[in-house]
């Protein structure tokens, strides 16, 4: 990796540092604030398990935010990560635990705004809904756990000293679980924007294949560890003592409730279990551990009937931070992209092209759109998503968010070449040997539309096709969409960017 790669990746490391400084407080803040766990112990455990979660389970979540906006140039990735990191850092300076996820979402929307890309409204609503559900669910869990464990401890009549010892051990174990979940769910927020342009190469050591994305996630986890050790103590004080005085017992309840919420919003196995029993499912998106822990503290306070002891002024400041952080990140990202592109002469995005070719026209007609109304657009070429959607809506009328994404995905012109030498770069943890063999059958072929690639795979095996949208097929369709996206990112031929201001060695 040259100097250019290091410079651009530095903003991702800055965001990783911010995650460590901010979210470690959510994992161990209550434990450290009640003096049940030493800060050094909490920092070591948190750092180790965040790294394990990121490398072992985090890769599959790398494309979670892809539907919201795909940053397709390393200069844009640098600015997007920097805008989110700077926003989080500013809030940390104020002693406010904020959501890294919210800052990243805001920065991506800022990138969409600058590049004239269409933001998927459904994705925004889906992600934003967790910002409400997460603290409410954590508060509910904390209240229920408080009553259940209080009853159990009362029935068992555990000695106070033993109870404290058990609580301290439980805090460390639960914190380790929470840190693992944090790494698995949120590392994609830290370096996810760099995945399409990861400045690493796959390699194999002692029979273990280490992918570029795993290396990227490990580097991000190291930055998180530095943030934990250097700056998380201040925010731990806000979470551990600023909201409400907590006993060691209630502090453990908070950590457990927060860890369970992270698990629920990340577990595909739980989602399948609920769906198979016709129960409501929880959207699998990276959620804010900040919101979870604040909700849990409030839940404990309400369960104890000690609402008056909750520092509602602190709660209000934290909520204001949640509202302000995505807005600030979006604005900072927009103006920073302008300066990066026009002052430093860097490529911050690769323009997308949408062509109403004969193939696209026929495809849209097959999908139920009016051919007579779209005829006038045949042969037209558009250089931005908003321009293309505006032209289509002038003919068809207002489109729903789902229709917008369908039309954009059908008409986007790309250059995909199945390079035989790149097939080995596909992560064996995400593709089965049979799937890789099927991809090899396409070696040497070129595609100009994403859906052409999927149709070619379906011609080889119907397993690449989406199934009717039911709760039981949801997992299959999600996995197919993820794998198709990875194949596209691996084999897409990107236009040569403009001359760089920085030179790589």
């Amino acid at each position: 990796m040259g100097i250019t790669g290091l410079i651009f990746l530095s903003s991702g490391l800055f965001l990783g540092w911010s995650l460590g400084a901010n979210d470690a407080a959510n994992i161990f803040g209550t434990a450290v604030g009640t003096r049940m766990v030493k800060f050094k112990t909490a920092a070591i455990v948190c750092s180790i398990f965040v790294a394990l979660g990121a490398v072992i389970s985090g890769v599959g979540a790398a494309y979670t935010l892809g539907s919201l906006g795909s940053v397709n140039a390393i200069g844009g990735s640098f600015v997007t990560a920097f805008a989110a990191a700077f926003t989080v850092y500013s809030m940390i300076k104020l002693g406010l635990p904020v959501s890294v996820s919210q800052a990243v979402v805001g920065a991506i929307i800022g990138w969409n705004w600058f590049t004239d890309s269409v933001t998927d409204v459904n994705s925004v609503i889906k992600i934003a809904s967790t910002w409400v559900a997460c603290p409410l669910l954590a508060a509910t869990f904390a209240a229920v756990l408080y009553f259940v464990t209080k009853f159990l401890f009362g029935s068992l009549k555990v000695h106070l000293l033993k109870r404290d010892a058990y609580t301290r051990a439980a805090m460390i174990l639960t914190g380790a679980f929470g840190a693992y979940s944090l790494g698995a769910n949120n590392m994609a927020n830290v370096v996810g924007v760099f995945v399409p342009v990861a400045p690493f190469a796959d390699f194999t050591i002692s029979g273990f294949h280490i992918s570029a994305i795993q290396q990227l996630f490990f580097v991000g986890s190291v930055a998180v560890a530095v943030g934990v050790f250097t700056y998380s103590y201040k925010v731990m004080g806000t979470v551990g003592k600023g909201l409400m005085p907590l006993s060691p017992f209630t502090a453990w309840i908070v950590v457990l409730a927060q860890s369970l919420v992270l698990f629920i919003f990340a577990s595909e196995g739980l989602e399948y279990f609920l769906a198979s029993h016709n129960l409501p499912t929880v959207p699998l998106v990276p959620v804010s551990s900040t919101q979870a822990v604040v909700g849990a503290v409030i839940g404990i306070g309400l369960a104890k009937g000690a609402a008056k002891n909750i520092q509602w002024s602190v709660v209000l400041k934290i909520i204001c931070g949640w509202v302000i952080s995505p807005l600030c990140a979006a604005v900072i990202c927009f103006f920073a992209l302008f300066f990066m592109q026009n002052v430093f002469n860097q490529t911050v995005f690769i323009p997308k092209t949408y062509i109403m070719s004969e193939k696209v026209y026929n495809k849209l007609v097959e999908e139920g759109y009016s051919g007579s109304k779209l005829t006038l657009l045949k042969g037209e070429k558009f250089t931005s998503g908003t321009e293309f959607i505006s032209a289509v809506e002038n003919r068809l009328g207002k489109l729903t968010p789902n229709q917008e994404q369908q039309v954009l995905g059908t008409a986007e012109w790309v250059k995909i070449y199945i390079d035989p030498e790149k097939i080995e770069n596909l992560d064996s943890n995400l593709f089965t040997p049979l799937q890789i063999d099927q991809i090899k059958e396409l070696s040497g072929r070129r595609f100009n539309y994403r859906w052409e690639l999927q149709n070619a795979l379906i011609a080889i095996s119907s397993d690449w096709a989406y199934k009717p949208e039911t709760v039981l097929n949801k997992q299959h369709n999600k996995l197919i969409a993820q794998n198709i996206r990875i194949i596209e990112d691996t084999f897409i031929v990107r236009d040569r960017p403009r001359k760089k201001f920085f030179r790589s060695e």
Side-chain angles (χ1 to χ4, degrees):
M1 179 172 60
I3 294 177
T4 301
L6 285 172
I7 292 174
F8 282 137
L9 187 58
S10 63
S11 66
L13 301 182
F14 181 24
L15 184 56
W17 177 89
S18 300
L19 180 75
N22 180 76
D23 286 53
N26 309 324
I27 302 297
F28 280 106
T30 54
V32 173
T34 55
R35 301 184 183 278
M36 289 295 288
V37 178
K38 293 181 179 180
F39 171 74
K40 184 177 181 180
T41 301
I44 292 173
V45 173
C46 185
S47 300
I48 292 173
F49 281 90
V50 163
L52 290 174
V55 175
I56 296 174
S57 302
V59 175
Y63 298 88
T64 304
L65 298 178
S67 58
L68 185 61
S70 179
V71 183
N72 58 8
I74 194 167
S77 299
F78 168 83
V79 173
T80 303
F82 174 81
F86 184 78
T87 300
V88 174
Y89 172 74
S90 300
M91 297 298 176
I92 290 174
K93 288 290 288 183
L94 298 174
L96 297 177
V98 296
S99 170
V100 173
S101 299
Q102 287 179 320
V104 172
V105 168
I108 292 176
I109 292 176
W111 186 86
N112 287 346
W113 181 23
F114 180 83
T115 60
D116 209 18
S117 300
V118 177
T119 300
D120 186 352
V121 176
N122 284 338
S123 295
V124 173
I125 293 174
K126 182 178 180 180
I127 294 171
S129 67
T130 66
W131 298 348
V132 177
C134 177
L136 293 178
L137 190 60
T140 303
F141 277 179
V144 172
L145 288 169
Y146 172 76
F147 288 121
V148 171
T149 52
K150 183 179 180 181
F151 172 78
L152 291 176
F153 276 124
S155 301
L156 297 174
K157 300 187 183 301
V158 180
H159 191 276
L160 183 60
L161 292 179
K162 286 188 175 181
R163 175 172 157 174
D164 282 351
Y166 294 154
T167 302
R168 181 176 288 105
M171 278 183 168
I172 295 175
L173 292 174
T174 307
F177 171 60
Y180 183 94
S181 299
L182 178 68
N185 293 327
N186 282 267
M187 195 55 63
N189 292 329
V190 172
V191 292
V193 293
F194 292 93
V195 168
V197 288
F200 297 100
D202 293 16
F203 68 90
T204 302
I205 182 171
S206 300
F208 292 97
H209 178 75
I210 309 298
S211 70
I213 299 178
Q214 286 177 310
Q215 297 170 58
L216 185 65
F217 276 40
F218 176 74
V219 171
S221 66
V222 172
V224 171
V226 174
V228 170
F229 277 96
T230 60
Y231 216 80
S232 67
Y233 189 79
K234 181 178 181 180
V235 184
M236 283 188 184
T238 300
V239 175
K241 296 179 288 186
L243 286 175
M244 187 185 76
L246 295 172
S247 67
F249 171 68
T250 54
W252 170 69
I253 294 294
V254 168
V255 176
L256 180 58
Q258 176 253 351
S259 300
L260 287 174
V261 169
L262 284 179
F263 173 77
I264 286 177
F265 279 99
S267 175
E268 294 181 345
L270 178 62
E271 181 190 42
Y272 180 80
F273 173 81
L274 293 173
S276 63
H277 289 79
N278 296 319
L279 296 172
T281 60
V282 177
L284 299 183
V285 296
V287 295
S288 169
S289 56
T290 301
Q291 294 173 332
V293 75
V294 170
V297 171
I298 294 175
I300 284 288
L302 296 177
K304 294 177 63 178
K308 63 181 180 180
N309 293 332
I310 299 175
Q311 299 297 318
W312 293 107
S313 60
V314 176
V315 173
L316 182 60
K317 285 178 62 179
I318 292 174
I319 292 176
C320 287
W322 293 349
V323 175
I324 293 172
S325 59
L327 298 177
C328 286
V331 173
I332 292 171
C333 185
F334 180 87
F335 286 103
L337 286 167
F338 176 84
F339 277 96
M340 181 64 75
Q341 177 177 268
N342 297 285
V343 177
F344 295 104
N345 194 32
Q346 296 298 297
T347 300
V348 297
F349 74 100
I350 299 174
K352 294 182 179 180
T353 302
Y354 301 89
I355 302 176
M356 185 63 75
S357 65
E358 189 71 28
K359 287 183 178 180
V360 171
Y361 172 81
N362 292 333
K363 177 74 171 175
L364 291 175
V365 171
E366 289 177 7
E367 291 171 348
Y369 295 93
S370 173
S372 60
K373 295 181 179 180
L374 291 175
T375 299
L376 294 177
L377 294 178
K378 289 177 69 172
E380 293 289 328
K381 179 179 179 180
F382 303 87
T383 57
S384 77
T386 54
E387 180 188 7
F388 176 62
I389 289 298
S390 177
V392 172
E393 289 185 333
N394 285 337
R395 300 291 186 273
L396 300 179
K398 184 66 177 177
L399 300 177
T400 66
N402 283 336
Q403 289 174 329
E404 285 185 355
Q405 295 305 311
Q406 184 181 46
V407 170
L408 287 169
T410 301
E412 183 182 353
W413 190 83
V414 295
K415 290 186 286 187
I416 298 175
Y417 170 61
I418 308 300
D419 188 343
E421 295 182 358
K422 291 184 177 181
I423 293 178
E424 63 182 19
N425 293 338
L426 294 172
D427 193 338
S428 59
N429 293 320
L430 301 177
F431 294 90
T432 66
L434 177 60
Q435 287 176 323
I436 292 179
D437 288 339
Q438 291 166 350
I439 296 170
K440 287 180 179 179
E441 293 186 38
L442 300 179
S443 293
R445 292 186 59 179
R446 299 178 185 273
F447 305 94
N448 288 329
Y449 298 100
R450 301 179 190 277
W451 50 269
E452 287 184 318
L453 170 62
Q454 184 171 12
N455 286 348
L457 289 169
I458 293 173
I460 297 173
S461 172
S462 59
D463 290 340
W464 289 96
Y466 294 123
K467 296 181 179 180
E469 193 63 33
T470 64
V471 289
L472 294 179
N473 291 335
K474 182 179 179 181
Q475 180 62 24
H476 168 82
N477 292 343
K478 179 182 176 182
L479 186 61
I480 292 298
Q482 174 184 288
N483 286 349
I484 293 292
R485 173 78 178 278
I486 295 172
I487 296 171
E488 292 169 359
D489 288 340
T490 301
F491 297 105
I492 195 167
V493 179
R494 303 187 187 278
D495 294 330
R496 185 184 297 274
R498 294 181 298 171
K499 186 177 180 181
K500 301 290 186 181
F501 179 79
F502 300 109
R503 295 179 180 272
S504 59
E505 294 184 346

